[in-house]
Each structure stands twice: as structure tokens, then as C-alpha cells.
Amino acid sequence: MKTIKNLLTMLALMAFTMTTFAQTKVIAHRGYWKTEGSAQNSLRALIKADSINCYGSEFDVWMTADGRLVVNHDAKVDGIVIEEAQSADVFGLKLGNGEYIPALEQYLEMGKSLDTRLIFELKPHENRLREAKAVIDGIMMIERMGLNDRVEYITFSAAALEEFLKYAPKGTPVYYLNGDKTPQELYRMGAAGIDYNLSVLKKHPEWIKECHDLGMKVNVWTVNKEDDMKWCIGQGIDFITTNEPELLQKLLK
Ligand code: MG
């Protein structure tokens, strides 16, 4: 009996230690693109983020006028507005490293062969209907490819946030990027937490504890300077999204 009691005490202590000192995790912003032969949101950048064992690799998603999901950051590439363009025109465009702009499916196929988590950002679309379709098609694609437990959704769009929370399988983390909702509001909506710009968290450091007290997580972007990284780590922020994942890893060691 005494042994069981001791064992339980030990387990409780371990759980306490793990929650108290849960280490900040590293998310590569648009992949690890500051590397040889890489480019933002390229397959190469995703592979690179995985190769240095990032917790996650973030990427940006748009839907073309003919309903194809593509991975790219900017709304407009070489004068072509992605959400108003035909996919054939978008897929003919090249990234800085010579890769073609990837279709989401192709990008996820690569992700499937890797370990890093897939941090799926849906960009706010001018056309709300297309944005809603992008949420649903994205969720269905993730499901079809067996990636439900590998993905986390993030978005600046309040409408897309609601749709992700409504349609993504229960337990899939959904975070809001726009910085204008309190932890309480997001908690009531069912979000996993906040994913806010560093300036927002510096202005509202109390939101970090509020989130944690509500059982939610705190992400911050895009933190590239050593001093800022140290501040975030000291605040117990759960995830840091950065263009400098190796610098952050070095600081966390
Ligand atoms: Mg992004």
C-alpha cells in the first residue's frame, strides 16, 4: 500500500514538474527558408524545418478561383491575384528557389513523410464564400490524407476561425492570429488559444497567464531576435514562430 502511495506521489510530482517546466516549442515560419536552396513556403523549407526537428512548420494557404488550394504567402504573385486566378496559371509560377508554387495536396504529401507538425494558416480571402469553401476543403483534404492528428489551424479571419471551430474534428487545435480577441472570448468559442504578434503580447502580458489558467496555449509570432526570444521563453509562452529556428533551439538548450 505504501509503495503504491509513494508511486502515486512520484507520478503527481512528475506531472507537476512537466506542466511547470513545459518547454517552449519551435515553429518554423513559412518553413525553414533561410537555408541554401530554400524559399518561403517551399517543399524544401518544410523538409528543412523537419530536418532540424522543429515542433511545427507553418505555411500559408489560398484557394484559386477554380477551387484549388495552393501554398503561398502573398495574395498576388507576378501580377496574378491567386484567389481570382485559374489554378493552371498559379501552378506555373515559380518560387525564389526554382520550385513551382506547391498545390496544398502536394505539400501535405511531403508533410506526411515527415514528423514536424503542419501549421496550416488559411489566408483571409476577399471572397467570403471562397474562404468558407477553403476551410471545408482544407479540413476534408487533411482528413482524406490521414493527417488529422498532425495539423493545427491558424487564421487572421474571424469568420474562418468560426468555421474551423465548427468543422474541424474535435480536438484539432485552432488558433486565432489577429490579436483583437481576449483569451476569455476565444475560450468561449472553443479555440485552443492565442497565436498573437509579439507586440500584442508585450502590451497584454496578462493574457499569457489568462490563457494558461483557462487551459489554453499561447503562440507568438514572428520572433527573430535573441532578446525577444528570451522574453517569450521567460514568460512561459508555449510556441514561438520564428524565421530563426536554430537560434531559438540554441537558446532553449
Ligand atoms: Mg503565415
Short mmCIF file of all heavy atoms in Angstrom, two decimals, residues 215-245:
data_model
loop_
_atom_site.label_atom_id
_atom_site.label_comp_id
_atom_site.label_asym_id
_atom_site.label_seq_id
_atom_site.Cartn_x
_atom_site.Cartn_y
_atom_site.Cartn_z
N GLY A 215 -6.57 26.84 -19.46
CA GLY A 215 -6.16 25.57 -20.08
C GLY A 215 -5.86 25.73 -21.57
O GLY A 215 -5.87 24.76 -22.32
N MET A 216 -5.59 26.98 -21.99
CA MET A 216 -5.29 27.22 -23.40
C MET A 216 -3.79 27.46 -23.59
O MET A 216 -3.05 27.68 -22.64
CB MET A 216 -6.08 28.44 -23.90
CG MET A 216 -7.59 28.27 -23.80
SD MET A 216 -8.51 29.42 -24.85
CE MET A 216 -7.97 30.98 -24.24
N LYS A 217 -3.37 27.41 -24.84
CA LYS A 217 -1.96 27.60 -25.18
C LYS A 217 -1.71 29.00 -25.74
O LYS A 217 -2.62 29.65 -26.26
CB LYS A 217 -1.52 26.57 -26.23
CG LYS A 217 -1.69 25.13 -25.80
CD LYS A 217 -0.58 24.70 -24.89
CE LYS A 217 -0.65 23.20 -24.61
NZ LYS A 217 0.13 22.86 -23.41
N VAL A 218 -0.44 29.39 -25.66
CA VAL A 218 -0.03 30.70 -26.17
C VAL A 218 1.05 30.52 -27.24
O VAL A 218 2.08 29.90 -26.98
CB VAL A 218 0.51 31.59 -25.03
CG1 VAL A 218 0.95 32.95 -25.57
CG2 VAL A 218 -0.54 31.76 -23.94
N ASN A 219 0.76 31.05 -28.42
CA ASN A 219 1.74 31.10 -29.51
C ASN A 219 2.08 32.56 -29.75
O ASN A 219 1.23 33.43 -29.56
CB ASN A 219 1.13 30.62 -30.83
CG ASN A 219 0.61 29.20 -30.79
OD1 ASN A 219 1.13 28.35 -31.47
ND2 ASN A 219 -0.43 28.95 -30.02
N VAL A 220 3.28 32.80 -30.25
CA VAL A 220 3.67 34.17 -30.59
C VAL A 220 4.42 34.15 -31.92
O VAL A 220 5.10 33.20 -32.26
CB VAL A 220 4.53 34.79 -29.46
CG1 VAL A 220 5.84 34.02 -29.27
CG2 VAL A 220 4.83 36.26 -29.73
N TRP A 221 4.25 35.25 -32.71
CA TRP A 221 4.94 35.39 -33.99
C TRP A 221 5.37 36.83 -34.16
O TRP A 221 4.81 37.68 -33.49
CB TRP A 221 4.05 34.96 -35.17
CG TRP A 221 2.74 35.64 -35.21
CD1 TRP A 221 1.58 35.25 -34.60
CD2 TRP A 221 2.40 36.86 -35.90
NE1 TRP A 221 0.57 36.15 -34.86
CE2 TRP A 221 1.03 37.13 -35.65
CE3 TRP A 221 3.13 37.74 -36.71
CZ2 TRP A 221 0.37 38.26 -36.18
CZ3 TRP A 221 2.47 38.87 -37.23
CH2 TRP A 221 1.10 39.11 -36.96
N THR A 222 6.23 37.12 -35.11
CA THR A 222 7.29 36.25 -35.61
C THR A 222 8.53 36.75 -34.89
O THR A 222 8.95 37.88 -35.12
CB THR A 222 7.43 36.42 -37.14
OG1 THR A 222 6.19 36.10 -37.75
CG2 THR A 222 8.52 35.53 -37.72
N VAL A 223 9.07 35.94 -34.03
CA VAL A 223 10.11 36.36 -33.09
C VAL A 223 11.48 35.92 -33.63
O VAL A 223 11.76 34.72 -33.67
CB VAL A 223 9.84 35.76 -31.69
CG1 VAL A 223 10.86 36.26 -30.69
CG2 VAL A 223 8.42 36.09 -31.23
N ASN A 224 12.28 36.90 -34.02
CA ASN A 224 13.55 36.58 -34.68
C ASN A 224 14.78 37.05 -33.91
O ASN A 224 15.89 36.66 -34.23
CB ASN A 224 13.57 37.20 -36.09
CG ASN A 224 12.42 36.68 -36.93
OD1 ASN A 224 12.08 35.50 -36.87
ND2 ASN A 224 11.81 37.55 -37.70
N LYS A 225 14.55 37.94 -32.91
CA LYS A 225 15.70 38.49 -32.18
C LYS A 225 15.89 37.75 -30.86
O LYS A 225 14.91 37.41 -30.18
CB LYS A 225 15.47 39.97 -31.89
CG LYS A 225 15.56 40.85 -33.12
CD LYS A 225 15.78 42.30 -32.71
CE LYS A 225 15.09 43.24 -33.67
NZ LYS A 225 14.14 44.12 -33.02
N GLU A 226 17.16 37.58 -30.50
CA GLU A 226 17.52 36.82 -29.30
C GLU A 226 16.84 37.37 -28.04
O GLU A 226 16.29 36.61 -27.25
CB GLU A 226 19.04 36.83 -29.16
CG GLU A 226 19.54 35.78 -28.20
CD GLU A 226 21.06 35.59 -28.27
OE1 GLU A 226 21.62 35.61 -29.39
OE2 GLU A 226 21.66 35.43 -27.20
N ASP A 227 16.87 38.69 -27.86
CA ASP A 227 16.28 39.29 -26.65
C ASP A 227 14.79 39.01 -26.57
O ASP A 227 14.27 38.73 -25.49
CB ASP A 227 16.50 40.82 -26.65
CG ASP A 227 17.92 41.18 -26.25
OD1 ASP A 227 18.66 40.25 -25.83
OD2 ASP A 227 18.29 42.36 -26.36
N ASP A 228 14.12 39.11 -27.71
CA ASP A 228 12.68 38.85 -27.74
C ASP A 228 12.39 37.37 -27.44
O ASP A 228 11.43 37.03 -26.74
CB ASP A 228 12.09 39.23 -29.11
CG ASP A 228 12.08 40.73 -29.33
OD1 ASP A 228 12.03 41.48 -28.33
OD2 ASP A 228 12.14 41.16 -30.50
N MET A 229 13.23 36.50 -27.98
CA MET A 229 13.07 35.06 -27.73
C MET A 229 13.18 34.78 -26.24
O MET A 229 12.38 34.05 -25.65
CB MET A 229 14.13 34.26 -28.49
CG MET A 229 13.90 34.21 -29.98
SD MET A 229 15.27 33.38 -30.81
CE MET A 229 14.67 33.41 -32.51
N LYS A 230 14.19 35.41 -25.61
CA LYS A 230 14.41 35.21 -24.18
C LYS A 230 13.20 35.69 -23.38
O LYS A 230 12.80 35.06 -22.40
CB LYS A 230 15.68 35.95 -23.72
CG LYS A 230 16.95 35.21 -24.13
CD LYS A 230 18.18 35.97 -23.66
CE LYS A 230 19.45 35.25 -24.07
NZ LYS A 230 20.62 36.13 -23.99
N TRP A 231 12.64 36.82 -23.78
CA TRP A 231 11.45 37.35 -23.10
C TRP A 231 10.30 36.34 -23.18
O TRP A 231 9.67 36.02 -22.18
CB TRP A 231 11.03 38.70 -23.72
CG TRP A 231 9.88 39.32 -23.00
CD1 TRP A 231 9.92 40.09 -21.87
CD2 TRP A 231 8.48 39.23 -23.34
NE1 TRP A 231 8.65 40.47 -21.49
CE2 TRP A 231 7.75 39.96 -22.38
CE3 TRP A 231 7.77 38.59 -24.38
CZ2 TRP A 231 6.36 40.07 -22.41
CZ3 TRP A 231 6.39 38.71 -24.42
CH2 TRP A 231 5.70 39.45 -23.44
N CYS A 232 10.08 35.81 -24.38
CA CYS A 232 8.98 34.85 -24.59
C CYS A 232 9.19 33.57 -23.78
O CYS A 232 8.25 33.05 -23.18
CB CYS A 232 8.86 34.49 -26.07
SG CYS A 232 8.37 35.88 -27.10
N ILE A 233 10.43 33.10 -23.77
CA ILE A 233 10.74 31.87 -23.01
C ILE A 233 10.49 32.14 -21.53
O ILE A 233 9.86 31.34 -20.83
CB ILE A 233 12.20 31.42 -23.26
CG1 ILE A 233 12.41 31.04 -24.73
CG2 ILE A 233 12.57 30.25 -22.34
CD1 ILE A 233 13.86 30.93 -25.16
N GLY A 234 10.95 33.30 -21.05
CA GLY A 234 10.76 33.68 -19.64
C GLY A 234 9.31 33.80 -19.25
O GLY A 234 8.94 33.55 -18.10
N GLN A 235 8.46 34.18 -20.21
CA GLN A 235 7.02 34.33 -19.95
C GLN A 235 6.29 32.99 -20.00
O GLN A 235 5.08 32.94 -19.77
CB GLN A 235 6.40 35.27 -20.99
CG GLN A 235 6.85 36.71 -20.91
CD GLN A 235 6.27 37.45 -19.73
OE1 GLN A 235 5.12 37.26 -19.38
NE2 GLN A 235 7.07 38.28 -19.09
N GLY A 236 7.01 31.95 -20.34
CA GLY A 236 6.38 30.62 -20.40
C GLY A 236 5.47 30.44 -21.60
O GLY A 236 4.54 29.63 -21.58
N ILE A 237 5.75 31.19 -22.68
CA ILE A 237 4.97 31.04 -23.91
C ILE A 237 5.20 29.64 -24.50
O ILE A 237 6.32 29.13 -24.49
CB ILE A 237 5.35 32.17 -24.90
CG1 ILE A 237 4.73 33.48 -24.38
CG2 ILE A 237 4.90 31.86 -26.32
CD1 ILE A 237 5.08 34.71 -25.17
N ASP A 238 4.13 29.02 -24.96
CA ASP A 238 4.21 27.61 -25.36
C ASP A 238 4.88 27.39 -26.71
O ASP A 238 5.63 26.44 -26.88
CB ASP A 238 2.79 27.02 -25.40
CG ASP A 238 2.08 27.17 -24.08
OD1 ASP A 238 2.40 26.40 -23.16
OD2 ASP A 238 1.25 28.09 -23.94
N PHE A 239 4.57 28.28 -27.68
CA PHE A 239 5.10 28.10 -29.03
C PHE A 239 5.61 29.44 -29.57
O PHE A 239 4.90 30.44 -29.48
CB PHE A 239 4.03 27.61 -30.00
CG PHE A 239 3.28 26.40 -29.52
CD1 PHE A 239 2.05 26.54 -28.88
CD2 PHE A 239 3.79 25.11 -29.69
CE1 PHE A 239 1.35 25.43 -28.42
CE2 PHE A 239 3.10 24.00 -29.25
CZ PHE A 239 1.87 24.16 -28.61
N ILE A 240 6.81 29.41 -30.13
CA ILE A 240 7.35 30.61 -30.77
C ILE A 240 7.50 30.32 -32.26
O ILE A 240 8.17 29.36 -32.65
CB ILE A 240 8.70 31.03 -30.17
CG1 ILE A 240 8.55 31.39 -28.69
CG2 ILE A 240 9.30 32.19 -30.96
CD1 ILE A 240 9.87 31.73 -27.98
N THR A 241 6.87 31.17 -33.07
CA THR A 241 7.01 31.06 -34.53
C THR A 241 8.12 32.02 -34.95
O THR A 241 8.09 33.20 -34.60
CB THR A 241 5.68 31.39 -35.22
OG1 THR A 241 4.69 30.48 -34.73
CG2 THR A 241 5.79 31.23 -36.73
N THR A 242 9.10 31.49 -35.69
CA THR A 242 10.31 32.26 -35.97
C THR A 242 10.91 31.95 -37.34
O THR A 242 10.74 30.84 -37.87
CB THR A 242 11.37 31.97 -34.87
OG1 THR A 242 12.56 32.70 -35.18
CG2 THR A 242 11.71 30.49 -34.77
N ASN A 243 11.62 32.95 -37.87
CA ASN A 243 12.41 32.75 -39.08
C ASN A 243 13.80 32.22 -38.73
O ASN A 243 14.59 31.94 -39.63
CB ASN A 243 12.57 34.08 -39.84
CG ASN A 243 11.27 34.57 -40.43
OD1 ASN A 243 10.39 33.77 -40.77
ND2 ASN A 243 11.11 35.88 -40.54
N GLU A 244 14.09 32.14 -37.42
CA GLU A 244 15.42 31.73 -36.97
C GLU A 244 15.30 30.53 -36.01
O GLU A 244 15.67 30.62 -34.83
CB GLU A 244 16.12 32.89 -36.23
CG GLU A 244 16.27 34.17 -37.04
CD GLU A 244 17.35 34.07 -38.10
OE1 GLU A 244 18.09 33.07 -38.14
OE2 GLU A 244 17.44 35.02 -38.91
N PRO A 245 14.79 29.41 -36.50
CA PRO A 245 14.54 28.27 -35.60
C PRO A 245 15.80 27.73 -34.91
O PRO A 245 15.73 27.29 -33.77
CB PRO A 245 13.89 27.22 -36.50
CG PRO A 245 14.22 27.62 -37.90
CD PRO A 245 14.35 29.11 -37.89
#
